[in-house]
Amino acid sequence: MSDDHVAITNLVFAYAERIDAGDFDGVAELLAHADVSGEGGGAPVRGVDAVLAMYERSTRRYDDDGTPKTKHLTTNLVVEVDSVAGRATCRSYFTVLQAVPGELALQPIIAGRYHDEFERHADAWRFSKRHMIPDLVGELGHHLLFDLS
């Protein structure tokens, strides 16, 4: 696996790590230069402030630890890199597990796909697009602050 593939894979995994930690500032920094959208969700958002606002208004964090009490599992990564052009894509699957003590037993709550694009800037890779496609939707009432349907 090339250094470019590793760097892009690490970016995809960094998203899961940051959102599960409740680090919405970190998620916004990671996606600062990306058009972020969801299937059927309207126009993409872009920029640190817009991405941060999107996550703060859509994703529940719990007072006891500041996290959404989730684990985002990202699998089946297909990374394609054009090193000369400094562009790359990644298609992957996600499954989100959640457990809220006393409220929700551990279970998968949503599964779907990410379609990501990346650009190399100043010798480092960064997201230029993240499109989220939910395929299987379960109990999201403890995770989202809106009704996905």
Side-chain angles (χ1 to χ4, degrees):
M1 185 179 296
S2 74
D3 289 345
D4 291 334
H5 282 82
V6 170
I8 289 162
T9 299
N10 286 345
L11 286 171
V12 171
F13 291 151
Y15 170 84
E17 184 177 51
R18 291 177 188 189
I19 194 162
D20 289 338
D23 180 9
F24 293 176
D25 289 316
V27 170
E29 285 294 328
L30 189 67
L31 299 173
H33 302 282
D35 290 326
V36 180
S37 61
E39 195 75 5
V45 298
R46 186 178 185 92
V48 172
D49 293 340
V51 173
L52 179 59
M54 180 187 77
Y55 279 92
E56 287 181 337
R57 51 171 200 268
S58 65
T59 307
R60 185 180 314 279
R61 285 187 284 191
Y62 289 85
D63 291 336
D64 63 340
D65 63 2
T67 75
K69 300 193 180 297
T70 56
K71 291 298 174 203
H72 285 65
L73 309 177
T74 311
T75 62
N76 301 41
L77 279 71
V78 178
V79 178
E80 297 172 340
V81 178
D82 182 341
S83 296
V84 174
R87 309 284 306 165
T89 62
C90 178
R91 297 181 318 277
S92 60
Y93 289 176
F94 68 84
T95 303
V96 181
L97 304 175
Q98 187 177 35
V100 181
E103 296 181 36
L104 181 72
L106 176 63
Q107 60 187 274
I109 59 170
I110 189 169
R113 295 166 284 146
Y114 296 131
H115 287 183
D116 297 322
E117 296 179 12
F118 304 87
E119 60 190 4
R120 192 172 44 231
H121 178 76
D123 294 326
W125 288 97
R126 66 185 185 189
F127 279 92
S128 59
K129 181 178 179 181
R130 165 147 281 193
H131 187 66
M132 300 170 271
I133 306 162
D135 292 320
L136 304 172
V137 177
E139 171 52 56
L140 291 171
H142 290 84
H143 179 50
L144 297 179
L145 297 171
F146 69 97
D147 183 5
L148 184 63
S149 61

